[in-house]
Amino acid sequence: MNTQGVHVFTSESVTEGHPDKVCDQISDAVLDEVLRFDNAYEADHPHEDPWATRSRVACETFITVGLVIVGGEITTKAWVDVQELVRQVVKEIGYTDAKYGFNYATCGILNAIGRQSPDIAQGVDVGGAGDQGLMVGYACDETAELMPTPIALAHALTMRLAEVRRQGILPYLGPDGKAQVTVEYREGRPYRLDTVVISCQHTEDILDATGQRITAEARDEIIDKVGRAVLPKELLDVDKPTVFHVNPTGKFVIGGPQSDTGMTGRKIIVDTYGGWAPHGGGAFSGKDPTKVDRSATYMARHIAKNIVAAGLAREALVQLAYAIGLVDPVSVMVDTFGTGVIPDERLTQLVREVFPLSPRGIIRELDLWRPIYRKTASYGHFGRTGPEFTWENLHHVEELKKAAASLA
């Protein structure tokens, strides 16, 4: 989104203890367990076609006061102890005491998982896409991770909230929390941080005498230990002070599933680009990589990031579209918003030549049969580091440079 002049843009992130993110993590933890079984089965049966024998997973989770419901469609030879797995995930997130409104040891758990429709399976088992739809990837040169600044900073804040809670730096914090960052842009580049919102669940220890607001000391400590600890100093207090809002309603004692229901797939803008780029509409968590909602969106980000890293554009948006059961995408589009060094139609041609775009090719290229998905379920799927996030790799940069030079 190459916008000139002066404007502001806002993105938000949520912590791993947000009810929707608890659900995303449970759904992806179920997927990971199934993939572990599949990988072991494949090692023991090397002569079978893994594409046809692998499990199909579309796992959804719902959470409310004292209850977790796990459902969806899963076809697998694996056996997953859903009760034990859910309790483990909820415990690791931090809901270990009734004071946070939810307890891993006492919550009810309902397993409502069914099987995938055979009408879908007959198209997927031969290598076709697991659904129809459009998928979008994006990258820009604003940050080191080639992500838009607002969402990158919002994620940094929520990750810091989790860090200071787990390390006991701010021991009064609970697992639930949100952050929101408003960035002022001038001539298409980040200029200053206008407003920062930090909403964090906490115990009653930091309430003032009225019992309705946190103390000024706690507010300042959260700004110092969370906000100013991770936000870039060169963007803070430029021209005028950056405005910080901490728990704007006054307090946030009741949080997590006690205050709000959660569902898998309700934070798709948090998961991607914070609203800066379009979204194809499909959620990621709980879906195995034959579902192009997930795998093709990862590939679209992979393509866009390599284009920008290769210096072929300052920003790039990639759209892929698929039809259920078909192997090849029905459309491929690259838009560089006028920042490309070669025409977009030629860049689109390069993408088709350089990147594998069939479901099988994407899974092979990005190594997506691994049990890596629970880690993706919090703090965004893009702009991350680590061996899980293969779509962030830049191993096509030199190939793109050479191909672009031959077209010039």
Side-chain angles (χ1 to χ4, degrees):
M1 188 172 66
N2 186 24
T3 304
Q4 300 303 310
V6 178
H7 72 283
V8 296
F9 194 90
T10 301
S11 295
E12 76 155 350
S13 178
V14 299
T15 66
E16 63 212 59
H18 185 283
D20 292 332
K21 278 294 148 198
V22 174
C23 293
D24 284 344
Q25 290 170 89
I26 291 171
S27 293
D28 273 338
V30 171
L31 170 61
D32 284 348
E33 284 300 301
V34 173
L35 289 177
R36 288 187 182 94
F37 172 88
D38 282 354
N39 289 342
Y41 182 88
E42 184 179 335
D44 292 339
H45 301 79
H47 302 298
E48 295 187 27
D49 178 9
W51 187 271
T53 60
R54 278 189 171 271
S55 305
R56 301 289 182 257
V57 181
C59 182
E60 310 285 347
T61 304
F62 171 84
I63 194 168
T64 187
V65 180
L67 177 66
V68 179
I69 301 175
V70 183
E73 298 78 45
I74 301 179
T75 302
T76 183
K77 297 182 179 69
W79 182 82
V80 178
D81 188 339
V82 173
Q83 291 264 341
E84 178 60 28
L85 184 62
V86 169
R87 296 194 194 281
Q88 177 185 336
V89 172
V90 174
K91 179 182 180 181
E92 291 174 359
I93 289 170
Y95 286 110
T96 58
D97 195 298
K99 67 184 178 182
Y100 299 129
F102 202 84
N103 192 323
Y104 79 98
T106 59
C107 65
I109 301 169
L110 175 62
N111 183 346
I113 296 172
R115 292 177 62 85
Q116 184 188 56
S117 163
D119 294 348
I120 297 174
Q122 69 179 3
V124 177
D125 289 348
V126 295
D131 202 353
Q132 71 175 47
L134 59 108
M135 297 82 208
V136 175
Y138 179 82
C140 62
D141 64 358
E142 284 185 17
T143 61
E145 57 267 51
L146 304 186
M147 288 286 285
T149 301
I151 188 63
L153 296 183
H155 286 324
L157 288 171
T158 51
M159 285 190 279
R160 179 62 177 170
L161 276 174
E163 181 180 34
V164 297
R165 171 176 62 89
R166 292 181 180 278
Q167 293 184 2
I169 297 171
L170 299 180
Y172 48 76
L173 292 184
D176 197 358
K178 292 183 176 183
Q180 186 171 283
V181 178
T182 301
V183 178
E184 179 182 319
Y185 283 78
R186 296 193 181 184
E187 301 304 321
R189 308 302 290 178
Y191 180 73
R192 59 182 290 271
L193 298 186
D194 183 83
T195 306
V196 175
V197 182
I198 302 172
S199 296
C200 44
Q201 184 185 15
H202 59 84
T203 61
E204 295 184 348
D205 306 19
I206 60 170
L207 294 177
D208 64 14
T210 70
Q212 300 303 309
R213 305 191 67 82
I214 63 173
T215 64
E217 291 77 14
R219 176 187 179 277
D220 291 343
E221 187 175 39
I222 292 167
I223 292 173
D224 180 56
K225 300 295 185 182
V226 178
R228 294 187 178 276
V230 297
L231 296 174
K233 293 179 175 58
E234 64 272 16
L235 297 180
L236 285 167
D237 306 317
V238 178
D239 292 345
K240 56 183 177 180
T242 299
V243 176
F244 282 87
H245 296 290
V246 178
N247 289 357
T249 66
K251 64 177 181 178
F252 189 177
V253 174
I254 300 174
Q258 185 182 19
S259 66
D260 193 10
T261 59
M263 294 181 66
T264 300
R266 285 208 301 200
K267 286 291 177 284
I268 58 176
I269 297 301
V270 172
D271 286 342
T272 52
Y273 306 101
W276 187 265
H279 195 290
F284 305 147
S285 290
K287 297 178 180 178
D288 75 74
T290 67
K291 277 73 172 175
V292 284
D293 274 344
R294 181 168 221 159
S295 55
T297 305
Y298 290 171
M299 176 54 81
R301 162 65 178 175
H302 185 55
I303 295 167
K305 187 175 182 182
N306 274 265
I307 288 171
V308 174
L312 302 185
R314 285 182 53 192
E315 63 175 328
L317 184 144
V318 176
Q319 186 198 70
L320 307 174
Y322 291 81
I324 190 167
L326 299 187
V327 172
D328 295 318
V330 298
S331 72
V332 179
M333 185 274 290
V334 179
D335 186 352
T336 62
F337 305 95
T339 69
V341 300
I342 61 175
D344 289 347
E345 58 269 24
R346 290 196 172 190
L347 201 47
T348 300
Q349 176 188 339
L350 285 186
V351 167
R352 286 185 174 275
E353 294 172 357
V354 170
F355 295 91
L357 299 178
S358 69
R360 284 180 187 258
I362 291 171
I363 292 171
R364 188 182 306 112
E365 167 87 3
L366 301 180
D367 199 9
L368 296 181
W369 285 131
R370 296 171 300 144
I372 58 172
Y373 295 103
R374 183 183 163 193
K375 189 171 182 180
T376 71
S378 302
Y379 312 114
H381 293 245
F382 308 122
R384 306 283 297 277
T385 58
E388 297 85 359
F389 301 90
T390 51
W391 46 93
E392 297 294 313
N393 292 341
L394 297 174
H395 53 275
H396 286 293
V397 165
E398 293 306 318
E399 186 178 2
L400 283 171
K401 286 181 178 179
K402 291 178 181 177
S406 69
L407 288 175

